[in-house]
């Protein structure tokens, strides 16, 4: 009885206030870089609402501000004006430690350059976010092994990250991004440094995460083919959104030849 | 962040640092090893000297040339020699003096049966055996009568007798000292060192004969064994010598009387200030080592900017990064401290073994102050010199750090 009641209430809430279903809300944000008193405006009034569980692709030419948007979304950088709400919270009101905690708990980053620690094992790399969490050391081993198995690298667990191929590295990065079970995966050109085969493996993983685990995936890419994994495609040019539409022919796993 | 994580991180980065990590703590290692070596050797030296002073007969008075204020200031060679035969005779008469041994010393070669040894020739009397606490092996010590008659008689120290005569008895044989013939009346037992000198290399001749052979008119010192309370004995001896030297004001004393306690006090003072000075020098090397650590940590922080960015992107707070680098630097210096301490202990042991080749009686001693200071200091150095680099590491903006290549 109680369960049903709460469910109805939540549904009503969703229909009345759209904000609550959007995990991310950028309202008319701008971003200026300031170096030695030289101001470089990069984003000029970006509006973007992303509902929980959406797979969204951001496209645009080099230098258009895609990474800047991603860094802002991931609490790595701050906006100049406008409003960024994450789960309804005004991000500009958070202090450094709170931002760090938000990064750790809510965001999983997958970067073009992998950003793994060199001369550090796969295991240690994937474990890394846990040392900044409350997960006690005794529970870590299981969680880490699980995620490494999930990305199919169980046999590489004790290899140094720099002994792996690009595709394997990106899978380590995905395992690491998932280790604290965040709601949002931010993938900034994750296939940019990969051959097409490895790229597809990585994209399939992101797709599965979105479809099966309901993760919100925000993908930056300049390849239309890759962008079509998303339900929605947003195009940016010179720091403004020039188009924002749902993807009519979303790519699925069956669209391409299975590997090997 | 848990302490176990911080230690784990330090171990990881130490492994990654490899040879460079080891080299970076070299300054600390050397600093701490030298602190421990220096403090331990001075301590061992002090114990040795004190044991030397105490191995002689007890409650001795040493009547020496030079005013009391000259102790430690004027080298012996420049002290005016004032102790005369008259002083000896007037003290010798006293009933409160059990024995009084005049002492004059010369280095000379001693020859017998074609063998030559370099010996220390001591002009003295039988009182020296009580003063040095040494015993006759064979024969009889030359008599006071020998001294009065300026006879050429000699008593050989244990090693001199052995080197010249082997296992044969030396008593009654003639030896040649400084071109003069002496008849051996006795040989001494092997006794080791007294007052830092190996008495087994000594040869004793009558004090009068020594003055004849080496053309002397004054004595280096008298070693007096009184049979009354020490302070009373000192006062009486001073009065007698002042009278002889026609001194009315004690301030004008041209002689002094030292006790074994005074000697220990001087040793304490000398080794105390010596070890403070030496430890200060070693301390400077620790500071230099600390600056080396700071330097390497700054380089490390710059090199690892990307790593800092990655950690921050994964949820590391400023404080976590700060702690990581601080602990790392403390970890480095503490390892340096441990290696330095071990090295210091090893070097001390080696040094003592080398000293023992030249002088028996030294005991391997470790300065606990040195070890505590070394280990404590290394940790402090890690904190002090690791702070600024850690602060810099922590303050890097995550986005700039990630972009760093
Ligand atoms: N720290 C910075 N200072 C000044 N300009 C910057 C800085 N970072 C990025 N930019 C500029 O902002 C623009 C957008 O960069 P970015 O978001 O990285 O583009 P994209 O990821 O779309 O290629 C570029 O013109 C870039 O030169
Ligand atoms: Mg970019």
């Amino acid at each position: 009885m109680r369960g049903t009641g709460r469910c109805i209430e939540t549904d009503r809430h969703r229909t009345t206030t759209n904000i609550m279903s959007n995990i991310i809300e950028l309202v008319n944000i701008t971003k200026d870089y300031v170096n030695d008193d030289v101001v470089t405006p990069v984003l000029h009034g970006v509006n973007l609402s992303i509902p929980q569980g959406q797979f969204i692709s951001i496209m645009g030419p080099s230098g258009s501000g895609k990474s800047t948007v991603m860094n802002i979304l991931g609490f790595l950088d701050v906006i100049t004006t406008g409003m960024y709400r994450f789960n309804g919270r005004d991000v500009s009101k958070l202090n450094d430690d709170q931002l760090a905690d938000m990064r750790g708990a809510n965001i999983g980053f997958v970067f073009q350059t992998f950003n793994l620690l060199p001369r550090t094992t796969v295991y240690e790399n994937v474990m890394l976010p846990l040392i900044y969490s409350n997960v006690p050391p005794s529970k870590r081993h299981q969680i880490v092994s699980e995620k490494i198995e999930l990305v199919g690298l169980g046999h590489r667990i004790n290899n140094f990250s720099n002994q792996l191929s690009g595709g394997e590295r990106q899978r380590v990065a995905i395992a690491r991004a998932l280790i604290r079970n965040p709601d949002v995966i931010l993938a900034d050109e994750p296939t940019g440094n990969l051959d097409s085969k490895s790229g597809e493996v990585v994209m399939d993983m992101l797709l599965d995460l979105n479809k099966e685990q309901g993760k919100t995936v925000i993908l930056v890419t300049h390849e239309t083919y890759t962008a079509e994994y998303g339900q929605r495609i947003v195009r940016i040019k010179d720091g403004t959104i020039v188009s924002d539409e749902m993807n009519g022919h979303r790519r699925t796993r069956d669209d391409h030849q299975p590997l090997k | 962040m848990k302490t176990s994580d911080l230690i784990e991180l330090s171990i990881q980065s130490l492994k990654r640092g490899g040879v460079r990590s080891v080299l970076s703590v070299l300054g600390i290692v050397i600093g701490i090893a030298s602190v421990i070596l220096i403090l331990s050797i001075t301590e061992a030296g002090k114990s040795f000297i004190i044991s030397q002073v105490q191995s002689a007969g007890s409650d001795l008075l040493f009547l020496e040339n030079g005013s009391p204020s000259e102790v430690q200031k004027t080298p012996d060679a420049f002290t005016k020699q004032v102790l005369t035969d008259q002083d000896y005779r007037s003290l010798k008469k006293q009933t409160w003096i059990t024995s009084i041994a005049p002492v004059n010393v010369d280095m000379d070669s001693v020859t017998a049966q074609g063998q030559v040894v370099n010996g220390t020739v001591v002009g003295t009397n039988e009182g020296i055996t009580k003063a040095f606490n040494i015993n006759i092996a064979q024969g009889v010590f030359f008599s006071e009568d020998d001294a009065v008659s300026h006879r050429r008689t000699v008593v050989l120290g244990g090693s001199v007798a052995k080197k010249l005569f082997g296992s044969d008895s030396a008593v009654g044989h003639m030896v040649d000292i400084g071109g003069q013939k002496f008849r051996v009346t006795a040989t001494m037992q092997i006794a080791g060192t007294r007052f830092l000198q190996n008495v087994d290399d000594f040869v004793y001749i009558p004090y009068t004969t020594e003055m004849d052979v080496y053309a002397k008119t004054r004595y280096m010192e008298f070693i007096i064994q009184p049979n009354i309370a020490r302070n009373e004995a000192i006062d009486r001896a001073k009065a007698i010598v002042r009278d002889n030297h026609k001194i009315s004001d004690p301030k004008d004393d041209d002689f002094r009387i030292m006790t074994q306690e005074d000697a220990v006090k001087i040793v304490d003072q000398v080794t105390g200030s010596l070890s403070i000075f030496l430890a200060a020098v070693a301390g400077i090397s620790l500071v230099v080592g600390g600056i080396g650590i700071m330097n390497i940590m700054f380089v490390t922080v710059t090199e690892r900017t990307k790593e800092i960015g990655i950690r921050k992107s994964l949820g590391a707070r400023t404080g976590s990064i700060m702690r990581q680098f601080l602990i790392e630097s403390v970890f480095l210096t503490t390892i340096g401290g441990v290696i330095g301490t071990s090295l210091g202990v090893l070097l001390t042991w080696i040094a003592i073994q080398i000293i023992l080749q030249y002088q028996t009686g030294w005991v391997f001693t470790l300065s606990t102050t040195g070890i505590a200071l070394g280990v404590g200091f290394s940790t402090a150095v890690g904190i002090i010199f690791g702070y600024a680099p850690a602060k810099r590491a922590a303050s890097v903006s995550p986005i700039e750090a990630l972009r760093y290549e």
Side-chain angles (χ1 to χ4, degrees), chain B residues 31-219:
Chain B
I32 286 176
S34 33
V35 167
I36 288 172
L37 175 67
I38 287 165
L39 291 180
S40 297
I41 291 290
T42 23
E43 210 154 286
K46 193 170 116 184
S47 322
F48 170 70
I49 292 169
I50 289 171
S51 76
Q52 286 291 302
V53 171
Q54 283 162 349
S55 67
S58 56
D59 275 332
L60 299 171
L61 303 182
F62 301 82
L63 174 55
E64 300 174 350
N65 293 293
S67 73
S69 62
E70 280 177 297
V71 180
Q72 290 185 68
K73 280 189 200 146
T74 317
D76 285 348
F78 297 110
T79 308
K80 195 168 169 231
Q81 304 292 298
V82 294
L83 299 177
T84 62
D85 224 30
Q86 190 199 3
D87 294 326
Y88 173 62
R89 275 182 279 111
S90 42
L91 287 165
K92 174 97 181 146
K93 282 204 294 254
Q94 305 302 318
T95 51
W96 53 270
I97 289 181
T98 311
S99 76
I100 169 167
V103 177
N104 260 339
V105 174
D106 308 275
M107 306 304 292
D108 214 330
S109 56
V110 183
T111 317
Q113 303 190 334
Q115 302 287 325
V116 186
V117 296
N118 286 316
T120 304
V121 180
V122 182
T124 187
N125 65 16
E126 192 172 1
I128 200 76
T129 60
K130 289 198 191 80
F132 283 171
N133 203 9
I134 50 178
N135 296 313
I136 288 173
Q138 221 178 16
V140 193
F141 209 95
F142 55 76
S143 62
E144 189 65 23
D145 190 40
D146 280 12
V148 174
S149 315
H150 296 242
R151 289 210 181 96
R152 303 281 160 96
T153 46
V154 64
V155 173
L156 302 181
S159 339
V160 176
K162 186 135 195 290
K163 280 178 199 150
L164 295 179
F165 295 95
S167 51
D168 299 345
S169 168
V171 177
H173 285 82
M174 300 303 285
V175 297
D176 188 299
I177 302 170
Q180 313 277 331
K181 293 259 177 274
F182 284 76
R183 188 175 50 81
V184 179
T185 69
T187 56
M188 303 303 293
Q189 289 177 4
I190 294 287
T193 52
R194 296 289 185 278
F195 302 103
L196 308 179
Q197 310 213 43
N198 190 347
V199 295
D200 300 325
D201 291 334
F202 282 10
V203 296
Y204 308 90
I205 60 176
Y207 55 95
T208 49
T209 315
E210 191 271 347
M211 289 185 146
D212 298 342
V213 174
Y214 297 98
K216 291 196 189 158
T217 56
R218 298 285 190 270
Y219 295 103

Side-chain angles (χ1 to χ4, degrees), chain A residues 110-153:
Chain A
V110 181
F111 300 96
Q112 178 177 3
T113 53
F114 321 124
N115 285 351
L116 301 178
L117 295 186
R119 275 174 292 158
T120 303
T121 63
V122 168
Y123 183 87
E124 285 163 347
N125 265 292
V126 175
M127 213 256 296
L128 208 52
L130 292 185
I131 69 174
Y132 304 112
S133 76
N134 295 324
V135 179
S138 56
K139 296 221 175 111
R140 292 177 190 168
H141 183 79
Q142 201 209 327
I143 306 174
V144 173
S145 312
E146 222 170 72
K147 298 298 178 205
I148 293 174
E149 287 298 335
L150 184 77
V151 297
L153 288 175

Side-chain angles (χ1 to χ4, degrees), chain A residues 66-67 188-189:
Chain A
K66 304 181 297 292
S67 294
D188 192 346
E189 306 204 32

